[in-house]
Amino acid sequence: MISIQGKGVSTGIAVGPIYFYRRADSTVRRYEVSDRDAEWARFKAAQEKAIAELGELAEKARAEAGDEAAMLFETHQIMVKDMDYEEAIEAGIKESGLNAEAAVSDAGEMQAAAFAAMDDDYFKARAADVKDISTRLVGILLGVVQGGIDSDVPVILASDDLAPSETVQLDKSKILGFITSGGSGSSHTAILARTMGIPAIIGVGDKLKAEYEGREVIIDGSTGAIALDPDDATRAQLMKKRADLLKRQALLNELKGKPNETKDGQRIRVYCNIGSPSDVHTVLENDGGGVGLFRSEFLYLECDDYPTEDYQFEAYKKVLSDMGDKEVVIRTLDIGADKQIDYFNLPKEENPAMGNRALRICLTRPEIFKTQLRALYRASAYGHLCIMFPMVTSVWEVREAKKMCELVKKELTAEGKPYSEDVQVGIMIETPAAAVISDRLAKEVDFFSCGTNDLTQYTLACDRQNNDLGRFFNAHHPAVLRLLKLVCDNAHKNGIWVGICGELGADLELTETFLSIGIDELSVSPRSVLPLRQKIRETNARAVHEGCLAALASDVTPL
């Protein structure tokens, strides 16, 4: 047995074969083939596989986001079989003797350029579609693994770390748990694991070796312990712990349907953080009271070009419809920093966490912002929508964003398109600037939601993605907690509610503190709902109130 120690960031025990994430290398090499008919047959096989893959994606999109979303992949199916496109590839192979990858690449570039040169906006947009289908065909010809996992059985996925654009492509049905050599507790791998309710361990460094591929491993997401080829005693111990955890979950399930209410009658809303319409079932399964954070940027990350208004509308409509009369807070586009998207063509920045990101991009590229807001307001007719703007630092930013909301509503009214008049507009408090002027910001919006991951990062000058900072990144720091209390006080003075949607919301060591300072809502990963409910119901809020406030006033963390 080999023992490896990392840092657990998502609890649970998982056992299975270890599998190393495959990153795609789609570099096209050009060469002349000797058997042109055989090369043509190779292309035709890839074409059939692409059509089948696109059909599967269309069905998945239809189930998760509706018919409009599925149409994109159905259109790509048609384009893969387009006669002009296919003839250009055939000429490249049979007349020029090119390998199939090069012939597809050349044909794709030629057709994309032709579409891009057209005057009609609809046909101009087809240039991106041609590039997308060509990339898919080249990937199949090169043997690139779609989604990074080529396994018939579920696996413990190992990697250095995963970018947001990679996490959205994963086949989540094949993942039992995560191990990463780098990363942090607020990395997207960790967030995905918590949303999925599976164990995850980060920060194992160079202890992961390629020769471990396929060998059995047991991971403990609470302690960060990894047992490769476990001996009988270790297996028995960890399997017993796993059984105990399952029993505890069964007991927690008895809390479903019960209020999030302290012993002395104080109530708090417990909502869920999600990144996809498909995550809604885990919210309902875990009895979440609503969605406190839908990370809409993941719709952009899973597309190869700007998602259309209709594509976004179907996704938002799906979430709102599935949640029924429960509140859904959708955060507007939050890219930049660690979430980069190629087609946005953002310039390279020395310090992207403090650069052009989130609302700053929306306000400087209003055409993107307007498209999203139109989709959001159209979807509001199907549920209880709240819109939330991220990365706010000043009042003027909020006012500009609200102006765009009013413009969009006027347009939809003129077009006769329905939307709800009861849409709350709020902001994320994730910068010290927003916290300090929260008294002024509270007069502009209907609610605050505190993003404690970034608030901690900016307050302590600690990169949230840098796991080497260790104890320096302390979300329990008095400065962070005092800012949260300031925000809470200013919100309530102005008659608006305040929540927490960062990972700190699920920290049971701080639940009493949050109850004491008057937080109205906690939004957490779906699997954290019932443990949090249990903690709330075990607490006497009045008994801990004075002690927590006194600790906040001192120089120590109130723990």
Side-chain angles (χ1 to χ4, degrees):
M1 183 180 86
I2 299 174
S3 295
I4 300 172
Q5 187 62 45
K7 178 183 177 183
V9 291
S10 182
T11 59
I13 307 283
V15 55
I18 193 168
Y19 183 94
F20 285 82
Y21 179 75
R22 266 69 166 168
R23 283 195 169 82
D25 179 8
S26 299
T27 304
V28 175
R29 297 172 179 81
R30 306 174 69 87
Y31 56 88
E32 187 173 343
V33 296
S34 56
D35 189 337
R36 300 182 181 189
D37 289 336
E39 195 67 7
W40 174 247
R42 194 165 77 89
F43 161 72
K44 292 297 289 183
Q47 183 186 50
E48 289 304 311
K49 185 173 182 181
I51 292 167
E53 285 181 357
L54 290 163
E56 291 172 3
L57 288 170
E59 290 309 308
K60 182 182 178 187
R62 180 171 285 107
E64 294 183 0
D67 290 338
E68 290 286 344
M71 281 180 60
L72 170 68
F73 298 107
E74 290 169 344
T75 300
H76 283 196
Q77 278 185 308
I78 295 169
M79 295 180 76
V80 168
K81 297 181 287 187
D82 178 78
M83 186 178 296
D84 291 338
Y85 180 61
E86 187 172 315
E87 285 178 355
I89 296 168
E90 185 174 18
I93 294 172
K94 292 190 174 180
E95 295 176 20
S96 302
L98 285 174
N99 58 307
E101 294 89 341
V104 168
S105 181
D106 289 353
E109 288 181 10
M110 180 179 68
Q111 283 218 344
F115 277 123
M118 293 181 180
D119 294 329
D120 187 279
D121 287 341
Y122 174 82
F123 287 108
K124 277 186 176 180
R126 301 288 72 76
D129 293 322
V130 174
K131 290 178 182 177
D132 189 52
I133 62 171
S134 297
T135 298
R136 179 173 296 277
L137 283 166
V138 168
I140 292 170
L141 288 163
L142 290 172
V144 170
V145 176
Q146 295 296 325
I149 305 173
D150 184 16
S151 173
D152 296 329
V153 298
V155 298
I156 307 292
L157 189 63
S159 178
D160 52 353
D161 197 9
L162 295 170
S165 57
E166 292 172 329
T167 64
V168 299
Q169 300 292 333
L170 291 172
D171 182 350
K172 297 171 183 64
S173 67
K174 291 184 176 179
I175 304 172
L176 299 168
F178 290 104
I179 308 171
T180 63
S181 55
S184 70
S186 57
S187 70
H188 291 279
T189 308
I191 291 170
L192 175 63
R194 287 190 286 264
T195 300
M196 293 173 64
I198 61 175
I201 297 172
I202 64 167
V204 300
D206 59 2
K207 297 167 189 172
L208 287 177
K209 303 184 187 303
E211 59 263 30
Y212 296 162
E213 175 89 24
R215 290 163 67 175
E216 185 182 67
V217 65
I218 304 180
I219 65 173
D220 184 343
S222 59
T223 65
I226 301 166
L228 185 73
D229 298 330
D231 56 37
D232 291 342
T234 301
R235 174 187 291 279
Q237 177 191 355
L238 289 172
M239 288 302 96
K240 182 182 183 303
K241 184 174 181 179
R242 184 169 182 261
D244 290 342
L245 288 172
L246 291 173
K247 286 179 183 177
R248 169 170 163 71
Q249 184 60 47
L251 290 173
L252 287 173
N253 285 339
E254 295 178 7
L255 292 174
K256 289 183 178 179
K258 295 184 177 179
N260 306 302
E261 185 176 329
T262 64
K263 288 181 177 180
D264 52 332
Q266 182 176 335
R267 289 201 175 200
I268 187 169
R269 304 196 300 275
V270 178
Y271 288 1
C272 294
N273 301 330
I274 65 171
S276 164
S278 64
D279 293 335
V280 168
H281 82 278
T282 62
V283 176
L284 300 175
E285 181 184 336
N286 289 278
D287 203 29
V291 172
L293 171 62
F294 176 22
R295 303 178 180 93
S296 69
E297 59 271 14
F298 281 88
L299 295 179
Y300 294 75
L301 284 160
E302 67 187 11
C303 293
D304 295 314
D305 200 358
Y306 299 102
T308 64
E309 178 184 324
D310 284 343
Y311 181 87
Q312 293 187 66
F313 163 69
E314 291 291 345
Y316 305 143
K317 175 185 172 184
K318 172 75 173 169
V319 173
L320 287 159
S321 299
D322 288 353
M323 289 299 296
D325 60 355
K326 294 184 175 183
E327 206 163 54
V328 175
V329 180
I330 300 181
R331 178 174 70 189
T332 56
L333 176 64
D334 184 7
I335 65 160
D338 58 327
K339 294 189 286 281
Q340 296 291 324
I341 302 176
D342 289 343
Y343 58 81
F344 271 75
N345 296 313
L346 297 175
K348 182 174 175 56
E349 297 176 294
E350 289 298 321
N351 194 350
M354 294 188 180
N356 194 21
R357 59 173 294 197
L359 188 59
R360 295 171 180 177
I361 291 175
C362 291
L363 294 179
T364 54
R365 300 175 71 171
E367 70 285 355
I368 297 172
F369 194 29
K370 184 179 176 183
T371 297
Q372 180 173 35
L373 288 176
R374 282 180 59 90
L376 284 166
Y377 274 102
R378 285 174 58 195
S380 70
Y382 297 88
H384 190 175
L385 173 67
C386 302
I387 297 173
M388 179 165 69
F389 305 127
M391 196 61 184
V392 168
T393 60
S394 61
V395 171
W396 75 262
E397 295 166 344
V398 178
R399 289 177 178 168
E400 287 298 309
K402 287 165 61 182
K403 283 181 188 176
M404 184 65 81
C405 290
E406 292 305 312
L407 174 63
V408 162
K409 288 194 286 185
K410 286 179 182 178
E411 284 187 357
L412 293 177
T413 299
E415 296 166 12
K417 293 181 178 177
Y419 64 89
S420 172
E421 293 285 357
D422 187 26
V423 175
Q424 292 189 59
V425 174
I427 62 170
M428 290 190 73
I429 303 291
E430 52 190 334
T431 66
V436 170
I437 63 166
S438 54
D439 57 333
R440 296 178 59 196
L441 291 169
K443 293 176 172 59
E444 302 289 333
V445 295
D446 300 309
F447 68 93
F448 289 152
S449 188
C450 301
T452 52
N453 300 342
D454 270 335
L455 184 61
T456 302
Q457 168 175 252
Y458 295 131
T459 302
L460 303 185
C462 276
D463 182 356
R464 58 184 280 196
Q465 302 297 323
N466 187 347
N467 198 46
D468 292 336
L469 288 171
R471 62 181 180 174
F472 294 105
F473 187 91
N474 175 21
H476 292 196
H477 194 288
V480 176
L481 299 177
R482 287 183 187 182
L483 286 177
L484 291 175
K485 184 179 185 303
L486 174 66
V487 170
C488 212
D489 290 344
N490 285 330
H492 293 159
K493 285 176 186 175
N494 288 278
I496 69 171
W497 63 269
V498 58
I500 291 177
C501 63
E503 296 303 312
L504 209 59
D507 189 334
L508 301 184
E509 292 183 314
L510 287 177
T511 305
E512 293 178 351
T513 300
F514 296 148
L515 287 165
S516 294
I517 66 176
I519 294 292
D520 301 294
E521 175 251 15
L522 295 169
S523 190
V524 298
S525 64
R527 287 293 183 93
S528 296
V529 168
L530 296 178
L532 180 55
R533 179 173 297 165
Q534 182 183 48
K535 177 66 176 179
I536 292 167
R537 291 173 63 84
E538 292 172 350
T539 299
N540 186 317
R542 288 192 186 92
V544 300
H545 179 70
E546 290 185 8
C548 285
L549 295 188
L552 278 172
S554 73
D555 292 328
V556 296
T557 305
L559 295 177

